[in-house]
Amino acid sequence: MANTVSIIIFGITGDLTHRKLIPALFNNYQKKRLEENFQIIGFSGRDWSDDKLRVSLREGIDQHADYEINEERWQTFAQKIHYFRGSFDDTDAYFRLTQALEGLENGSANRLYYLATPPGFITAITENLGKTGLNRENGGWRRVVIEKPFGTNLESAQTLNREIHKVLREDQIYRIDHYLGKETVQNILVIRFANTIFEPVWNRNYIDHVQITVAEKVGLENRAKYYDSVGVVRDMFQNHLLQLLSLVAMEPPSSYQANDLRDEKAKVLKSIRKIPTEQICNETIRGQYRGYQEEEGVARGTKTATYAAIRFYVDNWRWQGVPFYLRSGKKMTKKLSEITIQFKNPPHLMFPLPPNYEFTSNKLILLLQPDEGIQVKFETKVPDTVAETRSVNLEYHYKDVFGEKAIPEAYERLLMDAITGDASLFNRSDHLELAWELLDPILNAWDDPDRHQPLTIYEPGSWGPKEADDFLSADSRKWHPEDSPSL
Ligand code: BG6
């Protein structure tokens, strides 16, 4: 088997390549994880040269990477970057690409095709890889990395899977969800399965409910056209939030191998109760921030949701009756991704507490970002009182233990995994389809004018619509963090 790797990036002149892919590849090279025998071939339609591409990618690193740059390493790295001009739907370009690759590779090589393009090009590119034999594994592996969004509903995702499977085996396809590359997200399994103190209580007997919050401070960031056509459910829930739910709810896999892990995640997705259409208005909140419709590039009168909250139930022995509240939105008060495991009240309190005393039960909070860490909230006795209690925190912050810059960019890990052939942190075709099966009915009901699901408006800089607070208080619960109610 070859040991040279060609990384062919379709859409090399785009934003993703500049912000994430090249900074991650270069840091892997600086860390000597990416060895010398590789080259990067950038495929795009623009009239660029090798030099212009190298300069532009370097600017991307300067703007977006937060690590030290070793100039000597950059010089050798830059020499490995080559530009290839072509149109994604022109089969002849792929024949020319084959020749260009053979010229650079000097014998057999492995090839990683990275589709950093708008989703509309996925079929054309994979089809052309097939037509020109670029998918053939003669002497080296061929893998394809596909960015989200993967389809816009169940039907389009199934069609896309079928089209891609005509050219590639499932084990050659790496569907990326960058949340899975985050250290703190990988740590969910370590917390659960490398400790003995959590797993015995990780079930319906002790857990009252689970909250998953992915709040963003940013708005559209020049992506109005894309965002207005998808909205928060397709952009965040279909992938990131449902992946987080799977990791919290899954059973221990039999090994850390890709398919064992992915089988367990698929089982969770299969166990999530599909919300019947007539219940959707009770089980979901859809919101839009005030001023969204006036943003440049957004259709006037659009009902696209920039915020959603959804209550799911996982119908299995472990989780029966435990609600999972998921919420995410743009232009919220701050960037915060966290998972709160809310434990039940003790079955009996024998302390002489004042009447109407609001007892606080235990919480385990997984702080995914930005201040990565873990908090356990527990009750302690206030000194010099008979039995007054107070909630206090046990806290662990990554930065205190591993230093400020310990957490790498998610793409560093994901790119290396694709190169080394570890698909554990990538989505399998069944995950995507199962996720769409859950979300399609919600999106359809929201779009159906006869169902009158209200579009609630929230203030930019708030925690989302007030209705989302009512949604939880109707269940006698509150969102965490509690200190910042919605405006
Ligand atoms: C992307 C979404 O997948 O995730 C963006 O398309 C969103 O809209 C981003 O801003 C959030 O990622 P992170 O890593 O900043 O939480």
Side-chain angles (χ1 to χ4, degrees), residues 275-281 284 286 439-454:
I275 305 175
T277 305
E278 61 284 0
Q279 291 292 329
I280 285 169
C281 57
T284 67
R286 74 164 165 168
L439 299 175
D440 265 10
I442 298 176
L443 292 165
N444 292 339
W446 285 5
D447 283 347
D448 181 349
D450 294 338
R451 299 226 155 254
H452 307 293
Q453 167 103 10

Side-chain angles (χ1 to χ4, degrees), residues 148 178-179 182 216 223 235-236 240 330 335 369:
K148 61 165 267 279
H178 79 280
Y179 263 61
K182 290 182 189 281
E216 294 194 88
R223 295 158 80 221
D235 190 47
M236 299 296 288
H240 312 325
K330 294 273 186 209
K335 184 177 175 79
Q369 60 185 25

Side-chain angles (χ1 to χ4, degrees), residues 393-451:
N393 280 340
L394 266 180
E395 295 194 24
Y396 150 65
H397 297 272
Y398 278 64
K399 61 176 188 286
D400 298 341
V401 178
F402 298 106
E404 285 287 343
K405 295 207 167 164
I407 300 214
E409 169 57 50
Y411 276 89
E412 287 184 22
R413 167 74 190 263
L414 294 173
L415 279 157
M416 283 320 295
D417 281 0
I419 291 168
T420 54
D422 181 352
S424 317
L425 302 179
F426 292 83
N427 266 324
R428 223 168 42 185
S429 56
D430 54 338
H431 293 177
L432 282 146
E433 294 182 12
L434 287 163
W436 282 123
E437 276 176 32
L438 292 167
L439 299 175
D440 265 10
I442 298 176
L443 292 165
N444 292 339
W446 285 5
D447 283 347
D448 181 349
D450 294 338
R451 299 226 155 254

